[in-house]
Amino acid sequence: MRLRISLLKYRQSFTCVLPVQFGSLSWSECEGKLLYVAEKSRNSSAGGESACREDRNVYCEDWGEALTSKSVPVVCVVDLHSGAVDVLQGVPEDVSPGQALWAPGYQSVFFVGWYHEPFRLGLKFCSNRSSSLFELDMEGRCERLSGENLSVSCPRLSPDGSTLVFLQGRVFGPHHQCLSLQQVCCSFVLVFVFHLLTVCVVAAGPEEQENFCVYETLSPCCWSADSQRVVFSSACRNWKVRSQASTLTSATGDCGSWKLLTIQRDLMVVCCSSPNTPPTLRVGFLPEKSEAMTWQTLQQPAMTFDFSWTSLDIKPPPEEDNMQYPGLDFGSVLVKPSRPLCDSRIPLVVFIHGGPHSQFPAEWNSTTAGLVKLGCAVLMVNYRGSTGFGQDSILSLIGNIGSQDVKDVQRAVLAALWSDETLDPKRVAVIGGSHGGFLCCHLVGQYPDFYKACAARNPVINAATLLGTSDIVDWRYTSAGFQFSYDSVPTAEVLAALLQKSPITHAVQIKAAVLLMLGGKDRRVSPHQGLELYKVLKSRASPVRYNTTLSDQNFFPIEIGGLCRLLIRWLCM
């Protein structure tokens, strides 16, 4: 109750920040103090961004998609006995602090600082932002612990306080990529660095996947009790697996994918699921290096579904190989009803993830389940550039969007149709969002007689016109194969390349029925992108439907059943 009163007391000056980039809650050893990150109120007169504070009409930058209310985070400590809230001083003025935690001895804190000069770029889904690991003591002395021109995140301190690990990656380039796990050895003095050591290397290609690249955030508690091992989840081909930085062993078993939620005194809690089994919680003690893992399911899933699923590996033909990164393959996951609803062949819905550097692991997906329940088969494609296939696969897509990724999806669809005669090649639809929507619109434009329907959520339609409106303008340059710098100004060459790679160039060929689902306040992909395609299709009397919302998120909260039924109706026309 005292904590609640204290936070309410200071709510006019500071607002609690909970997103993964800035959110943190860290208890002191005696549990008398709580460390957290808050957003400084625009009415507050304390500290920087003074122009924004003095004149509310002055533009204040924010951190982009899903972080539009985050601009000036501060690190705070609340004393639970006195109710006092202190804002820690000494944070460099050119960084926004987040992911704060107590350092050994509780006389200083570690935090990640994202550089916001000369201007902020969107953070959500972007692990390539310039940032550093800092240590700040209670007297306001601040020391940078990581190197320059790097991206860092997820500092995690070992139980004995001797070692700090964090993730590190490149700045710019692909906005999501393989990360390395770095180690800082600590001592109970102000500056804790003895040496910095890379303990998990970045895997270049599929042949090195035993390294289990780190693509995503570490769980808040990821250390073994003896402070000798770090456990993490990460993508590996069409799967999401659990591994540990020392032995790099994985867990697959009877589930499609595993995700570590936390580890407490060597008791691991994981979430397990597959395309036909909703998530379940399992627990097990972390074994010695040579021992087998034993799991116990806390609760059986409330229901299972009569779906069959398989993981497919696809090798591009020689004419579609990437000459700079040859020999790469990719994958997909096919889910279908075990018993079709009728004797005819099963319609196929091709589901494409966004990013493009993300993944469809073999795990529970409610949209996929809804479509399969209605009698469709669903093919979830992990084209080259998806996570889980190594850094070379990610880099291979740079400069090749709109061609390599489009051909990969089409190749995966053909492979599924060739391998499964129960699928109906005359009833194929495609769905996806963001870059997945970009690929949907490319496919129905480049293969107009192949697809009958398309549902695209916040799709990129014209990358040239998107260049000045997206919160991740750097990716727009990178995706077309150009180097980005903060002072980059579009040239005729850049705009021509972006236009040539965009679905709008194939729009006049579209014959499929198209559903556009657009977020009215989306910061990553402006709704005007979808509107461009809508106008082209309307002018040609093509079947098109435009649904919109005032959400500022990169998603459309459409009722899944409605989307599924609409696709089924179009497929059966």
Side-chain angles (χ1 to χ4, degrees):
M1 179 62 70
R2 184 177 296 166
L3 171 61
R4 179 175 180 269
I5 293 173
S6 178
L7 294 180
L8 287 175
K9 176 182 178 182
Y10 288 88
R11 67 182 178 181
Q12 292 184 345
S13 297
F14 305 102
T15 304
C16 203
V17 175
L18 292 179
V20 64
Q21 290 81 10
F22 300 117
S24 59
L25 286 173
S26 180
W27 291 94
S28 63
E29 185 176 25
C30 63
E31 298 185 356
K33 293 184 178 181
L34 187 63
L35 174 71
Y36 66 98
V37 174
E39 173 68 18
K40 186 181 294 184
S41 170
R42 292 192 65 175
N43 294 325
S44 172
S45 59
E49 304 280 340
S50 58
C52 293
R53 312 297 172 233
E54 295 171 2
D55 187 348
R56 294 180 63 87
N57 295 317
V58 173
Y59 172 65
C60 260
E61 294 179 6
D62 56 51
W63 283 106
E65 180 67 22
L67 294 170
T68 54
S69 62
K70 311 300 180 286
S71 179
V72 190
V74 291
V75 182
C76 303
V77 176
V78 57
D79 188 316
L80 302 184
H81 300 295
S82 66
V85 176
D86 292 326
V87 179
L88 299 188
Q89 304 300 311
V91 175
E93 293 186 357
D94 61 340
V95 303
S96 291
Q99 299 183 356
L101 70 159
W102 291 102
Y106 299 92
Q107 298 304 308
S108 61
V109 300
F110 296 124
F111 69 88
V112 173
W114 282 272
Y115 293 96
H116 48 61
E117 296 297 337
F119 57 85
R120 292 167 174 81
L121 291 166
L123 281 182
K124 188 176 179 64
F125 302 131
C126 296
S127 60
N128 65 342
R129 296 290 174 246
S130 180
S131 50
S132 296
L133 179 65
F134 293 91
E135 184 199 358
L136 174 68
D137 74 357
M138 299 298 107
E139 304 300 322
R141 291 174 293 180
C142 193
E143 183 82 13
R144 190 186 70 209
L145 305 183
S146 57
E148 295 183 357
N149 198 32
L150 295 168
S151 175
V152 306
S153 62
C154 298
R156 302 289 187 262
L157 188 65
S158 63
D160 65 4
S162 66
T163 308
L164 182 78
V165 296
F166 61 94
L167 300 181
Q168 180 175 288
R170 307 174 186 178
V171 175
F172 297 145
H175 58 78
H176 198 46
Q177 53 193 300
C178 293
L179 305 173
S180 65
L181 187 64
Q182 302 289 322
Q183 172 180 306
V184 174
C185 292
C186 304
S187 174
F188 291 93
V189 293
L190 172 63
V191 181
F192 288 93
V193 179
F194 277 171
H195 65 276
L196 197 61
L197 174 67
T198 300
V199 296
C200 183
V201 298
V202 173
E207 70 281 357
E208 299 178 12
Q209 279 300 315
E210 64 271 13
N211 284 309
F212 289 106
C213 279
V214 186
Y215 297 99
E216 54 193 77
T217 59
L218 300 175
S219 64
C221 297
C222 58
W223 279 94
S224 62
D226 60 4
S227 300
Q228 297 299 308
R229 290 177 286 177
V230 174
V231 184
F232 60 90
S233 303
S234 197
C236 184
R237 301 192 68 82
N238 293 321
W239 314 85
K240 186 171 290 184
V241 299
R242 172 197 61 80
S243 63
Q244 54 190 48
S246 56
T247 60
L248 297 173
T249 58
S250 66
T252 52
D254 58 342
C255 284
S257 293
W258 298 59
K259 181 176 178 61
L260 177 71
L261 302 180
T262 187
I263 176 171
Q264 301 283 342
R265 298 179 182 178
D266 284 349
L267 180 65
M268 291 187 292
V269 181
V270 298
C271 177
C272 307
S273 72
S274 66
N276 61 353
T277 307
T280 60
L281 289 179
R282 294 189 181 184
V283 296
F285 282 98
L286 184 66
E288 296 298 328
K289 298 179 182 179
S290 59
E291 295 179 358
M293 186 77 209
T294 302
W295 293 101
Q296 180 178 348
T297 301
L298 294 182
Q299 183 179 7
Q300 294 296 334
M303 62 181 69
T304 57
F305 292 82
D306 193 16
F307 304 160
S308 64
W309 64 275
T310 184
S311 175
L312 305 174
D313 294 322
I314 300 109
K315 186 79 173 179
E319 64 271 18
E320 295 177 9
D321 202 10
N322 187 303
M323 294 297 101
Q324 188 176 0
Y325 299 96
L328 299 175
D329 65 350
F330 59 99
S332 63
V333 178
L334 177 64
V335 190
K336 66 175 188 176
S338 296
R339 290 186 291 273
L341 300 181
C342 56
D343 295 332
S344 61
R345 286 186 168 187
I346 305 171
L348 176 64
V349 177
V350 182
F351 198 177
I352 312 174
H353 66 70
H357 308 302
S358 61
Q359 182 211 35
F360 268 141
E363 65 182 10
W364 177 257
N365 185 294
S366 57
T367 301
T368 296
L371 287 164
V372 177
K373 192 68 176 175
L374 288 175
C376 292
V378 177
L379 183 69
M380 300 184 289
V381 184
N382 292 317
Y383 45 89
R384 279 174 291 178
S386 304
T387 55
F389 293 82
Q391 184 73 356
D392 283 357
S393 180
I394 289 175
L395 295 175
S396 73
L397 189 54
I398 302 303
N400 294 309
I401 62 165
S403 54
Q404 176 179 290
D405 44 5
V406 175
K407 292 175 182 176
D408 281 358
V409 175
Q410 186 67 9
R411 182 66 52 187
V413 175
L414 294 176
L417 292 172
W418 290 334
S419 66
D420 193 328
E421 294 182 352
T422 67
L423 303 179
D424 190 346
K426 296 182 179 180
R427 291 191 292 167
V428 183
V430 60
I431 65 174
S434 193
H435 192 85
F438 167 89
L439 293 177
C440 288
C441 297
H442 259 301
L443 287 162
V444 294
Q446 293 191 37
Y447 305 95
D449 296 317
F450 190 89
Y451 295 93
K452 289 200 67 174
C454 164
R457 171 183 50 80
N458 294 82
V460 176
I461 299 299
N462 185 341
T465 57
L466 181 63
L467 188 61
T469 62
S470 176
D471 68 329
I472 54 171
V473 62
D474 60 306
W475 166 241
R476 305 306 161 198
Y477 283 90
T478 300
S479 66
F482 297 96
Q483 292 291 326
F484 170 79
S485 62
Y486 281 103
D487 59 354
S488 295
V489 176
T491 63
E493 178 189 10
V494 169
L495 294 175
L498 288 170
L499 178 61
Q500 185 271 329
K501 297 176 184 298
S502 299
I504 195 69
T505 59
H506 306 284
V508 297
Q509 300 167 210
I510 294 176
K511 299 178 182 178
V514 175
L515 168 64
L516 296 169
M517 300 176 287
L518 310 178
K521 295 183 179 179
D522 195 290
R523 292 287 301 279
R524 189 136 301 177
V525 181
S526 165
H528 293 284
Q529 288 287 299
L531 189 57
E532 283 192 54
L533 179 61
Y534 175 79
K535 290 179 178 178
V536 171
L537 297 179
K538 285 288 286 185
S539 69
R540 304 179 65 81
S542 297
V544 60
R545 176 172 171 173
Y546 177 176
N547 289 355
T548 189
T549 177
L550 294 180
S551 170
D552 63 348
Q553 304 291 313
N554 187 14
F555 69 89
F556 191 86
I558 189 169
E559 192 260 318
I560 292 175
L563 167 62
C564 296
R565 287 190 291 271
L566 182 61
L567 284 175
I568 295 295
R569 189 171 77 234
W570 281 348
L571 284 171
C572 294
M573 289 174 59

